[in-house]
Amino acid sequence: MKRLARRSKGQLSFALEREARHDLTPDQQNALLLALSDLLLEALGEALPAQDSESGESDEC
């Protein structure tokens, strides 16, 4: 006869399937991925590539 496994009252369960919390558009996913990659490069001490300003401003001499 096998002993049944019992969960203690203090034991937490771990969900094996991940639930989507936020539905992001492809543009939002791309922007998030770029922001995270920039943060990672900055944390590693890498120089970030020059980016065009989104507000339309330009550097004029």
Side-chain angles (χ1 to χ4, degrees):
M1 184 174 212
K2 289 187 178 181
R3 188 174 180 178
L4 296 177
R6 295 184 195 169
R7 290 193 314 185
S8 68
K9 293 179 183 178
Q11 186 176 4
L12 300 176
S13 64
F14 181 72
L16 296 178
E17 293 185 22
R18 210 171 113 191
E19 296 179 16
R21 294 184 183 191
H22 302 286
D23 291 331
L24 300 175
T25 64
D27 290 338
Q28 291 172 327
Q29 289 176 348
N30 290 337
L32 180 60
L33 182 61
L34 286 174
L36 292 173
S37 63
D38 287 345
L39 286 171
L40 179 59
L41 287 174
E42 186 177 336
L44 292 173
E46 299 288 328
L48 296 177
Q51 297 178 355
D52 295 332
S53 175
E54 292 182 11
S55 63
E57 299 174 7
S58 61
D59 295 331
E60 295 180 11
C61 296

